[in-house]
């Protein structure tokens, strides 16, 4: 379609280049900005709208350029933490993103590092990196240069990746030993530990070793560097994940000393809100309480039916100052990590469980937001305050729910009329706006491991999700949105929580899965969460409900922290920042500091001169730390479940096929949620061929098929607890007849199953595992059990 003669016609490539340039500069590129850049008049703007729609349908961009800014689909952030992987044929180093899940995100992009002579000549340049180094890179998009997607300028060399290997030490009679590695990718590659190199390791210990020499014809030699304890101990399983992922779990002496020396924050400059009956609602076993809530009907005659909601958050910034030892270690950790048997906190207990815990009846400093809601749930206004508060009551979710239902204990009954019921009424109003907004509404019950005194699994349960959970979650989301809006209005730098819309490839794969159960995925119209909600509504109550919820989850992109906003698809919000858990997330601490500075609450806010580049670096580091924590938590749960089932060899279980590839089937058990593998070679007398379009293994002679999502009955034949792996034998028969999809296959999110390296097959997981960061809540709190309060990360 020709552009009006009043302006030259920009090419598709020119528009994409402009979008990328704006992204690199930290600016949003909407239709208005593109039209202004190319001098388009009203007719040209109409042409541009159609062209952007065409480019979006081709999968090159996401966003409509109007309500949602345009950005290149699948583009890496401007600054990213990467690992130097090797050198190309010209001797130049190349890198790949440090945290990259190929099962969910596809093949990792290759990043060409700028030539050494170029970045060495630059002032304040970083030292030349070597293979294995972790580096912070400033990325520039390339157009298919020798297979490279980006070039990267080294901003900082963060250090080398862990060269050590974790495993189980097995003592040999001659005083030497052998190492059985726990890494799934290393299964079968044992190492020999010569006499004199075993340290103080005992048979069965979990140890960390350094590989000393490789042999083409035999196992490598290794030296024990650290004895981590007996694999039979109650805390060894989470230790495996902590050391395998390099999670800092011991506070530095300077950090602990600084925490102990901290004095209670003063009252100067704070509003006295101690008379406001704020309450905390947390899990029954919570050790700290960092958020409190209150609500009341609005007495403004111009806001009939409205409510005033107050959310108060512990003022962590008053104690953790920029550049301090506490601050440096909090940034290094990025977030708290929750295991079934322990918590690795971001901040020492002196801060998290004492000074910043909003204890009942005790004065505490806090940052509070006062939200005025209209009768339809929309927000009329909000304001932030730095306050001194005193919690009127500490309730568990169960207590609060029982109190709301009129069945509470004495404590809940005492605050029911004055506090709980106004909160419930305000939640009812807020829910109207939430329902109108139509965020992604997944229903995936999350398993919780109940442990025995020795740290082994007693049972696996799915905790009931109460309305009290949803009440707190909704108010936390409102507070997070208000923080982002306030900081944007003030022109302040901040860290956003963003979530991209699904990629074209994953939507195509989802369409194929839906077609296999008779549901057609619409191809027209803008991609919105409501589309997924309609799909989920169609399968509500059917045998495919859990399966499709899991598939839709895997379709979603990875949520991340960024210094440049592109919105939150899952929540259907244009701007969103994490404000409500600064005890557990470094991003929230940055947002608190930004609010303190922008609202002139004190001199302990963001340091003057904080740049976009600096926040890009922080965002990159804490996003990587979050993915590290998620992987460690997931692997620990898998290992504990495998230990739990190890003495049930020969038992049979019901489950569902959660992934399919050429090597076999990935099974997800009912009840425990355990994942295991069925090799294709054990399926029967037929030869089973992988049909990627149908997500199935199909017998060439009989036509019998085993398809993604099918219900199955299996027998456990082998368990590798240290690796967290299970192997099953299929007891049930497959489908008869063709299950081929009418759509031609393409490599998608569900064609290859799950994680690589299982000792019983090439991967485990498929559709049931959470690879993409959950599009979940603003309140990830935890109790001493270590499980998040809502179990979601939004």
């Amino acid at each position: 379609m020709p552009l009006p003669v009043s302006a030259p016609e920009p090419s598709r490539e020119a528009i994409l280049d402009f979008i990328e340039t704006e992204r690199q500069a930290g600016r949003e590129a909407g239709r208005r900005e593109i039209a202004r850049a190319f001098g388009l008049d009203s007719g040209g703007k109409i042409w541009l709208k159609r062209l952007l729609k065409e480019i979006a349908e081709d999968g090159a961009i996401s966003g409509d350029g109007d309500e949602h800014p345009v950005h290149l689909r699948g583009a890496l952030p401007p600054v990213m933490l990467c690992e130097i992987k090797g050198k190309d044929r010209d001797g130049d180093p190349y890198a790949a993103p440090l945290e990259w899940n190929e099962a969910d995100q596809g093949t990792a992009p290759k990043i060409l590092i700028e030539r050494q002579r170029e970045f060495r000549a630059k002032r304040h340049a970083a030292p030349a990196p070597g293979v294995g180094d972790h580096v912070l890179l400033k990325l520039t998009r390339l157009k298919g240069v020798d297979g490279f997607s980006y070039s990267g300028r080294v901003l900082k060399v963060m250090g080398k990746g862990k060269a050590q290997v974790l495993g189980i030490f097995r003592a040999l009679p001659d005083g030497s030993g052998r190492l059985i590695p726990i890494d799934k990718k290393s299964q079968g590659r044992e190492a020999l530990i010569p006499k004199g190199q075993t340290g103080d390791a005992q048979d069965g210990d979990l140890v960390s070793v350094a590989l000393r020499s490789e042999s083409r014809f035999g196992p490598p030699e290794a030296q024990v560097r650290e004895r981590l304890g007996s694999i039979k101990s109650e805390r060894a399983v989470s230790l495996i994940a902590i050391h395998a992922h390099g999670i800092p779990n011991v506070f530095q002496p300077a950090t602990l000393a600084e925490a102990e020396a901290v004095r209670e924050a003063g009252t100067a400059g704070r509003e006295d809100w101690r008379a406001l009956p704020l309450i905390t609602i947390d899990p029954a076993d919570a050790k700290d309480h960092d958020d409190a809530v209150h609500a009341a009907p609005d007495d403004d005659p111009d806001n009939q039916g409205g409510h005033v909601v107050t959310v108060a958050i512990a003022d962590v910034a008053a104690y953790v100052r920029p550049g301090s030892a506490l601050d440096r270690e909090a940034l290094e950790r990025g977030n708290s990590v929750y295991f079934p048997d322990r918590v690795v906190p971001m901040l020492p207990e002196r801060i998290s469980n004492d000074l910043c815990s909003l204890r009942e009846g005790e004065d505490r400093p806090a940052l509070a937001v006062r939200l005025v809601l209209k009768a339809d749930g929309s927000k009329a206004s909000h304001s932030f305050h730095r306050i001194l508060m005193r919690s009127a009551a500490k309730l568990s979710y169960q207590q609060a729910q029982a109190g709301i239902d009129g069945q509470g204990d004495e404590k809940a009954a005492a605050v029911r009329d004055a506090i709980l019921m106004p909160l419930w009424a305000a939640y009812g109003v807020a829910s109207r706006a939430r329902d109108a907004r139509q965020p992604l509404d997944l229903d995936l019950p999350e398993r919780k491991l109940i442990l025995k005194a020795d740290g082994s699994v007693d049972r696996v349960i799915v905790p009931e999700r109460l309305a009290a959970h949803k009440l707190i979650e909704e108010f936390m989301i409102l507070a997070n949105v208000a923080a982002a809006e306030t900081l944007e209005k003030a022109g302040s730098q901040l860290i956003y929580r963003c979530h991209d819309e699904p990629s074209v490839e994953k939507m195509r794969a989802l369409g194929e899965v839906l077609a296999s159960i008779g549901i057609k995925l619409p191809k027209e119209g803008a991609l919105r969460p409501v589309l997924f909600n309609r799909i989920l509504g169609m399968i509500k109550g059917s045998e495919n409900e859990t399966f499709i919820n899991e598939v839709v989850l895997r379709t979603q992109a990875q949520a991340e922290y960024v210094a440049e906003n592109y919105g939150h698809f899952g929540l259907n919000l244009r701007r969103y920042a994490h404000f409500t858990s600064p005890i557990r997330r470094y991003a929230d601490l940055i947002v608190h500091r930004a609010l303190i500075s922008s609202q002139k609450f004190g001199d302990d806010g963001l340091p003057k001169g904080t740049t976009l580049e600096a926040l890009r670096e922080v965002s990159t580091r804490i996003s990587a730390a979050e993915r590290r924590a998620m992987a460690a938590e997931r692997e620990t749960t898998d290992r504990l479940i495998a230990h739990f089932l190890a003495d049930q060899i020969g038992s049979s279980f019901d489950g569902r096929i959660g992934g399919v590839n050429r090597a076999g089937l990935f099974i997800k058990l009912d009840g425990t949620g355990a994942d295991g593998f069925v090799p294709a070679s054990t399926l029967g007398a037929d030869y089973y061929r992988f049909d990627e379009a149908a997500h199935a293994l199909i017998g060439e002679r009989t036509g019998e098929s085993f398809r993604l999502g099918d219900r199955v009955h299996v027998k456990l034949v082998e368990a590798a607890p240290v690796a967290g792996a299970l192997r099953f034998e299929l007891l049930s028969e497959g489908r008869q007849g063709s299950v081929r999809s009418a759509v031609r296959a393409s490599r998608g999110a569900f064609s290859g199953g799950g994680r690589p390296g299982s000792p019983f097959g090439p991967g485990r997981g498929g559709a049931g595992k959470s690879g993409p960061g959950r599009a979940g809540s603003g309140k990830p709190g935890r109790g001493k059990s270590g499980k998040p309060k809502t179990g979601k990360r939004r």
Side-chain angles (χ1 to χ4, degrees), residues 445-526:
E446 298 200 23
R447 58 184 174 172
K448 179 178 180 179
L449 307 187
I450 305 299
L451 304 183
K452 300 176 183 176
D454 64 359
S456 61
V457 176
D458 179 42
R459 64 190 187 278
V460 183
I461 65 171
V462 177
E464 181 183 6
R465 181 154 166 77
L466 304 170
H469 290 105
K470 299 177 183 179
L471 179 154
I472 293 298
E473 179 175 304
E474 191 60 32
F475 290 162
M476 296 303 120
I477 290 173
L478 289 174
N480 288 337
V481 172
E485 291 177 348
T486 293
L487 292 174
E488 276 196 1
K489 185 176 181 179
S492 172
Q493 302 282 7
L494 73 149
I495 289 177
Y496 295 91
R497 179 65 166 178
C498 289
H499 178 232
D500 204 356
E501 62 186 44
S503 67
V504 172
E505 293 77 12
K506 288 192 174 184
M507 287 302 296
R508 184 179 295 120
L510 173 63
E512 293 172 2
V513 173
L514 292 174
S516 71
I517 61 171
I519 297 177
K520 185 175 182 180
L521 182 66
K523 294 184 178 180
E524 298 298 328

Side-chain angles (χ1 to χ4, degrees), residues 272 294 415:
D272 189 347
H294 177 268
V415 297

Side-chain angles (χ1 to χ4, degrees), residues 93-121:
Y94 67 88
L98 181 61
E99 297 288 342
W100 191 269
N101 187 331
E102 293 200 353
D104 291 316
Q105 298 171 269
T107 303
K110 290 180 67 176
I111 302 165
L112 180 64
I113 304 300
E114 289 185 15
R115 292 179 181 271
Q116 293 189 25
R117 61 174 177 271
E118 292 178 357
F119 59 70
R120 276 181 175 171

Side-chain angles (χ1 to χ4, degrees), residues 420-695:
L420 288 178
M421 296 316 293
L423 279 168
W424 183 248
Y427 169 61
V429 166
S431 296
R432 296 171 195 164
R434 180 189 186 279
D435 293 343
R437 194 177 79 242
Q438 282 280 340
L440 183 62
D441 190 18
L442 285 167
D443 183 15
L444 282 170
E446 298 200 23
R447 58 184 174 172
K448 179 178 180 179
L449 307 187
I450 305 299
L451 304 183
K452 300 176 183 176
D454 64 359
S456 61
V457 176
D458 179 42
R459 64 190 187 278
V460 183
I461 65 171
V462 177
E464 181 183 6
R465 181 154 166 77
L466 304 170
H469 290 105
K470 299 177 183 179
L471 179 154
I472 293 298
E473 179 175 304
E474 191 60 32
F475 290 162
M476 296 303 120
I477 290 173
L478 289 174
N480 288 337
V481 172
E485 291 177 348
T486 293
L487 292 174
E488 276 196 1
K489 185 176 181 179
S492 172
Q493 302 282 7
L494 73 149
I495 289 177
Y496 295 91
R497 179 65 166 178
C498 289
H499 178 232
D500 204 356
E501 62 186 44
S503 67
V504 172
E505 293 77 12
K506 288 192 174 184
M507 287 302 296
R508 184 179 295 120
L510 173 63
E512 293 172 2
V513 173
L514 292 174
S516 71
I517 61 171
I519 297 177
K520 185 175 182 180
L521 182 66
K523 294 184 178 180
E524 298 298 328
L527 194 57
R528 295 285 187 269
V530 67
L531 168 65
F532 298 102
N533 292 341
R534 288 173 185 159
I535 293 168
L536 297 173
M538 295 172 67
I539 51 88
K540 186 77 173 177
S542 73
E543 65 172 356
N544 291 311
E545 181 177 3
T546 300
F547 160 57
I548 295 299
N549 268 271
E550 291 172 341
V551 171
V552 169
L553 174 65
R554 282 183 61 86
T555 303
Q556 304 308 308
Q558 170 83 52
E560 62 178 344
Y561 294 110
V562 294
E564 301 99 348
N565 181 40
Y566 62 82
H568 198 296
F569 176 82
L571 291 174
N572 201 14
L573 292 169
R574 183 159 188 177
R575 54 189 60 81
Y576 190 66
H578 273 168
F579 159 75
T580 53
S581 287
I583 284 177
R584 306 179 186 95
R585 298 182 304 217
Y586 195 81
D588 302 54
L589 182 55
I590 292 291
V591 169
H592 274 233
R593 289 172 177 165
L595 286 167
I596 290 167
S597 296
S598 67
Q599 305 302 298
K600 298 180 172 53
F601 287 152
D603 60 359
D604 49 352
L606 274 183
K608 289 184 178 180
T610 298
T611 64
L612 176 65
E613 198 71 23
L615 290 187
R616 282 176 174 171
E617 176 181 338
V618 171
S619 300
T620 296
R621 293 179 66 179
I622 61 179
S623 291
E626 180 188 43
R627 291 190 289 272
R628 175 183 68 187
M630 291 172 66
E633 292 166 2
R634 182 179 62 231
E635 289 172 10
T636 298
T637 297
D638 288 346
R639 289 187 176 105
L640 284 169
I641 291 288
H643 275 278
F644 178 58
L645 296 176
D647 60 355
Q648 299 185 49
I649 301 296
S651 298
S652 59
F653 304 90
D654 290 319
R656 187 184 296 275
I657 298 177
V660 185
N661 70 11
R662 290 174 177 81
L665 308 173
F666 306 93
I667 309 300
K668 188 178 187 69
L669 299 186
D670 296 344
T672 61
D675 295 292
F677 183 66
V678 176
S681 60
T682 67
L683 288 180
D686 206 346
Y687 175 79
Y688 288 82
R689 178 176 46 80
F690 176 50
D691 188 321
E692 190 175 8
H695 302 280

